[in-house]
Amino acid sequence: MYELNSRVRYSETDIDAKLSLTGIMNYMQDCSTMQSEDAGVGIGYLGREKKAWLLSSWQIVIGRRPVLGERIKVLTWPYAVKGLYALRNFAILDEKGEYLVKANSYWFLMNTETGRPMRITDADTDPYGEFNPKIEMEDAGRKIAVPKEMEETGRLVVMKHLLDTNLHVNNAQYVDIARELVPSGTEIGEIRAEYRKAAVLGDEIVVKRAREGMSHLVSLCNANGDVFANVELKERTQPQKYPAAGGRKT
């Protein structure tokens, strides 16, 4: 298990002075990135090996968003490999060790020369040590079902500020785009994102949306209908209660 300690900064907050949805995702991405760097298998190593870990899906359940200045602890650990996918959990805890956020994610290893997925070997996972047990949360799976008929709300062209070191639109940016379609003041209790095709510099993204019950569904695709990412933002009507993290199975 890898641990990253921090304090919620003003630049990471939303208009309500709480950690933004993008801030939550960035903390978790940073935590897993730092684990790889400290294990000697970070960006430099992967570049030399012509490999890249790409995210296939997120499921993030938010009990409470921490507030400006609050001290938090971010945890991550891999727990399984299933076929082409490596599965990894995340958690954000408060100073008392209580869960604020729980997350599950699916990753795959890509050959950057061929652009194709690679088989995950022990050499790829051994640097992270022994797997820890899966966090206690419902697994919604990788795929997000969206309606065939969705309302187109606009289009945007991918600019450089949306890209990461893989020269793809960063995972959190898709959710940030989707969040703009949710009415102001809506509290989100769960984020799901399914990534299908990497958008790159100059691509046009068509933004489509639908509403099903408490869920805001957003599909981000190209003009031909090929999906870059599907995002589900589920409203929460009341705070979710989690037991203290000291009771987790690790």
Side-chain angles (χ1 to χ4, degrees):
M1 184 174 296
Y2 188 84
E3 179 179 311
L4 182 68
N5 292 286
S6 189
R7 190 178 184 190
V8 177
R9 300 168 177 83
Y10 181 76
S11 60
E12 300 165 340
T13 59
D14 213 332
I15 58 175
D16 57 3
K18 297 178 182 179
L19 184 62
S20 67
L21 301 186
T22 307
I24 289 172
M25 298 179 73
N26 284 339
Y27 264 118
M28 294 190 293
Q29 290 188 126
D30 288 346
C31 191
S32 59
T33 299
M34 289 302 102
Q35 183 181 28
S36 295
E37 292 293 329
D38 288 354
V41 288
I43 291 174
Y45 166 83
L46 291 170
R48 292 189 296 273
E49 295 293 313
K50 310 299 182 185
K51 298 178 180 180
W53 284 106
L54 299 184
L55 188 61
S56 176
S57 70
W58 273 119
Q59 181 190 3
I60 303 168
V61 180
I62 304 168
R64 175 177 71 82
R65 288 187 295 130
V67 301
L68 173 65
E70 186 171 353
R71 298 186 185 279
I72 58 173
K73 180 182 296 184
V74 189
L75 304 175
T76 188
W77 62 96
Y79 68 87
V81 171
K82 294 183 179 179
L84 290 175
Y85 295 101
L87 283 61
R88 174 179 285 271
N89 282 146
F90 295 84
I92 300 179
L93 313 181
D94 66 11
E95 286 190 279
K96 297 179 180 179
E98 296 182 346
Y99 283 109
L100 299 174
V101 180
K102 295 180 177 182
N104 191 36
S105 59
Y106 287 69
W107 302 73
F108 66 94
L109 195 60
M110 185 185 75
N111 183 314
T112 56
E113 289 189 317
T114 66
R116 298 182 64 82
M118 303 175 62
R119 185 173 64 88
I120 299 170
T121 68
D122 290 343
D124 299 310
T125 59
D126 284 349
Y128 297 100
E130 293 185 4
F131 290 174
N132 281 336
K134 181 181 179 181
I135 200 168
E136 293 182 5
M137 63 177 285
E138 180 182 353
D139 186 348
R142 291 189 303 109
K143 296 185 179 296
I144 298 174
V146 298
K148 291 184 178 180
E149 299 296 327
M150 302 182 75
E151 175 193 3
E152 180 178 330
T153 63
R155 302 187 178 204
L156 60 92
V157 176
V158 174
M159 303 177 70
K160 288 185 288 186
H161 71 275
L162 298 175
L163 305 180
D164 57 23
T165 55
N166 293 315
L167 301 182
H168 299 163
V169 172
N170 184 263
N171 304 310
Q173 296 290 349
Y174 294 104
V175 174
D176 211 30
I177 294 169
R179 186 179 65 96
E180 292 295 324
L181 303 179
V182 177
S184 179
T186 302
E187 188 67 22
I188 299 300
E190 184 173 349
I191 304 167
R192 293 183 63 209
E194 174 197 2
Y195 303 100
R196 294 191 185 180
K197 176 183 172 69
V200 299
L201 185 66
D203 280 346
E204 182 182 51
I205 298 179
V206 180
V207 183
K208 300 179 180 181
R209 71 174 174 187
R211 177 74 182 269
E212 291 186 346
M214 301 295 287
S215 291
H216 300 266
L217 297 164
V218 178
S219 187
L220 305 162
C221 55
N222 63 21
N224 296 323
D226 300 319
V227 175
F228 295 120
N230 288 326
V231 177
E232 179 183 11
L233 300 176
K234 187 177 295 185
E235 294 184 16
R236 185 181 65 230
T237 56
Q238 58 185 6
Q240 180 156 346
K241 299 294 186 180
Y242 287 142
R248 66 180 181 272
K249 296 179 180 179
T250 57

